[in-house]
Amino acid sequence: MTTVLDFSASFPKAADIHAARHAGAVCYVSPARETWMKAKPITKAVADSYRAAGLKIGAVWQYGGASNPDAMRGAAGGRADALAADAALTKAGLAGHPVYFAVDFDIPLGQWNSTAVHYFRAACAVLGRQRVGIYGHSRAVAWAQEDGVVADLGGGRCLGWVTRSWSRGETGADYAALYQGTHNVPGPSGVQVDVNTVYAPQWGQAPITKHKETAPVDVSALPRVDQTLWLNRHYTPGRVFNGVVRKVKYIVRHHNAGMLTTQGCWDVWQNREASAHYQVEQSGRVGQLVRDIDTAWHAADGLRNAESIAIEHANSGGANQDWPISDATIQAGGKLAAELCLKHSLGCPEFGKNIRDHKETGATACPYHLAAGGKYHAAWMKAAQDHYDKITSEEDDMTPDQSAKLDAIYNQMAGSFENGKYPGFDINALWEAAAAKGFRRLTMMEAAAVSTRASILILDQFVGPEKDAKGPAFSGWDPADLRASLAAKAETGGNGTIAEHLQVLVDALTPEEK
């Protein structure tokens, strides 16, 4: 387990941090609020000593205390703090690094929405989103991620630093970069420190490359469903477990153990205390029965119910056929999961991470052949991953004919790819193509080739066709050579160059004319 420290009283020695097997530290770039805060802000000398010892350095801004939190200054505070943090990073030799802005109190959702989120939006406007992180309780980190005001690390993870304080047991392991689980203990060099668990390869120790944006997909229109038939019972409004609002973290797969339609599921769940968000019918038709924002009763586990979305899959045969599932259902189920993964920022479908099976939390074989290791698992996962790639691709869809035409145009411009390079277009081939057309209605490249060929011909007329590696081997005309060359050509009926004939004309001039 990789750990990093944070501290404010003073700077532990680099050698002592390294000896204690910590990977680095998150250091303050804000000024000291109290005189005892000797580790605010980090200096270039300290930063250089840490990096020389192989330690990584992250940055955090926190000036205000519990009675006057930085984030409660709204947009004006966010702009001012981002500018000051950027200047402090540059001074410390950490230019371009991201910064965690601390929300070090039990902020409720109302204050986040009314004030704090505007602080972070202003910081993003100054630094760019990929340089903004948040320190706070688990819900604040999740709110910042959902509102798009902190760096996106990809795979459903953001530049969030979750503190144990006020998080009610939630550690942010699935979506944050750091977890501050140990507070105020003696550390290296006798300094009181907090110890943080590192969850992600990028936790703020270096500039963050912008995560590849997905194509402009309207996620509010996802997933695509053919029918909505809302249940009126046997589900829980909202996503609260043990008093904590939960975020969707994964999809759970089920099979009906029956050949049901969406209406059939609705009818069964009127009398059975169970439900799922979606039903995929034998034909591949998709129905929705519980809204994503609500909790379906499907996984025999309260926490898993609150953190997941359930997809039921109809069987195409009964127990006597060992509960088969049609390919249409497999394909539609996988595509539905992909769209849900995109909508809820879960990343590309990956089993064991954002795709799970019902059998993991109950005494059941469900989803049977769809489960990991089952005969339908690989096909379902491929359908999910292929569809996710398609709907997040930035490339335009092209027909084979359009693609071939584009290749032909490119090859005309640059030449076909050969021996690891594009050698450029073939002037002679283009000239021949132009000549075959009678030099009429030429393509742009054919016209360019004709012009180039004519230019080469004129140059050869003036300097002769001889060239070396650097181009025409011309350093001025030699009158004797020109006379001899023209005489030799005259004997064989050849034509002289313009330069040769000019030399004859010059020879014919009288001294006065010269």
Side-chain angles (χ1 to χ4, degrees), residues 229-231 233-236 269 275-278 288-296:
L229 187 61
W230 305 119
L231 275 174
R233 63 188 66 190
H234 300 154
Y235 73 95
T236 303
W269 293 334
S275 57
H277 294 89
Y278 297 92
Q288 185 174 6
L289 298 104
V290 177
R291 293 172 175 83
D292 287 11
I293 59 173
D294 295 328
T295 303

Side-chain angles (χ1 to χ4, degrees), residues 335-355:
K335 290 178 180 178
L336 171 60
E339 294 179 3
L340 289 168
C341 282
L342 178 58
K343 180 176 183 177
H344 295 281
S345 302
L346 304 181
C348 186
E350 179 182 342
F351 186 79
K353 180 181 177 183
N354 50 26
I355 305 296

Side-chain angles (χ1 to χ4, degrees), residues 85-428:
D86 190 44
L89 283 166
T90 300
K91 188 175 181 180
L94 301 170
H97 280 231
V99 188
Y100 291 99
F101 292 90
V103 182
D104 198 11
F105 70 105
D106 192 9
I107 185 171
L109 181 59
Q111 286 186 331
W112 171 264
N113 287 334
S114 66
T115 306
V117 70
H118 301 295
Y119 175 95
F120 280 87
R121 284 179 180 145
C124 288
V126 172
L127 299 174
R129 177 181 171 185
Q130 291 301 96
R131 292 186 63 198
V132 175
I134 182 173
Y135 167 94
H137 59 60
S138 59
R139 299 177 308 290
V141 171
W143 298 334
Q145 183 182 32
E146 290 168 2
D147 288 336
V149 294
V150 287
D152 177 12
L153 303 182
R157 199 175 290 279
C158 71
L159 192 64
W161 181 5
V162 172
T163 175
R164 186 185 66 190
S165 302
W166 316 294
S167 289
R168 305 173 191 174
E170 173 60 53
T171 67
D174 293 330
Y175 56 89
L178 294 174
Y179 174 60
Q180 187 186 68
T182 302
H183 290 156
N184 200 29
V185 297
S189 305
V191 177
Q192 293 293 113
V193 301
D194 301 323
V195 182
N196 306 273
T197 301
V198 176
Y199 288 145
Q202 170 55 272
W203 49 270
Q205 78 277 23
I208 301 173
T209 302
K210 184 177 181 181
H211 182 61
K212 181 181 177 182
E213 298 290 341
T214 59
V217 176
D218 181 6
V219 295
S220 66
L222 299 179
R224 303 174 180 91
V225 298
D226 301 298
Q227 178 184 12
T228 54
L229 187 61
W230 305 119
L231 275 174
N232 55 0
R233 63 188 66 190
H234 300 154
Y235 73 95
T236 303
R239 287 187 172 273
V240 179
F241 180 74
N242 284 350
V244 178
V245 177
R246 305 292 171 167
K247 179 185 175 184
V248 173
K249 294 183 177 180
Y250 45 83
I251 314 298
V252 176
R253 301 185 297 188
H254 300 259
H255 81 135
N256 287 170
M259 295 172 283
L260 299 175
T261 61
T262 302
Q263 180 67 59
C265 288
W266 192 93
D267 293 341
V268 168
W269 293 334
Q270 291 299 300
N271 299 309
R272 181 184 174 193
E273 294 185 352
S275 57
H277 294 89
Y278 297 92
Q279 163 72 0
V280 185
E281 299 178 353
Q282 293 181 52
S283 64
R285 190 168 180 267
V286 176
Q288 185 174 6
L289 298 104
V290 177
R291 293 172 175 83
D292 287 11
I293 59 173
D294 295 328
T295 303
W297 299 354
H298 66 96
D301 180 273
L303 177 60
R304 175 161 285 207
N305 284 344
E307 294 183 340
S308 65
I309 290 178
I311 300 178
E312 283 278 359
H313 298 76
N315 301 96
S316 57
N320 61 330
Q321 295 176 276
D322 198 27
W323 300 118
I325 298 177
S326 72
D327 185 63
T329 300
I330 293 168
Q331 295 297 314
K335 290 178 180 178
L336 171 60
E339 294 179 3
L340 289 168
C341 282
L342 178 58
K343 180 176 183 177
H344 295 281
S345 302
L346 304 181
C348 186
E350 179 182 342
F351 186 79
K353 180 181 177 183
N354 50 26
I355 305 296
R356 310 297 289 269
D357 287 332
H358 179 198
K359 65 191 294 185
E360 297 175 40
T361 55
T364 177
C366 181
Y368 202 35
H369 292 311
L370 273 176
K375 63 183 179 180
Y376 300 136
H377 170 73
W380 190 98
M381 287 301 307
K382 185 177 188 304
Q385 292 167 347
D386 286 353
H387 189 58
Y388 187 89
D389 288 343
K390 180 179 179 179
I391 61 178
T392 60
S393 173
E394 295 181 343
E395 296 181 359
D396 295 330
D397 289 334
M398 298 181 67
T399 66
D401 183 58
Q402 289 171 327
S403 180
K405 288 180 179 177
L406 183 61
D407 287 344
I409 293 170
Y410 191 88
N411 289 337
Q412 285 285 300
M413 294 289 291
S416 300
F417 189 75
E418 297 174 357
N419 301 320
K421 66 178 182 179
Y422 287 101
F425 57 78
D426 186 327
I427 293 176
N428 292 330

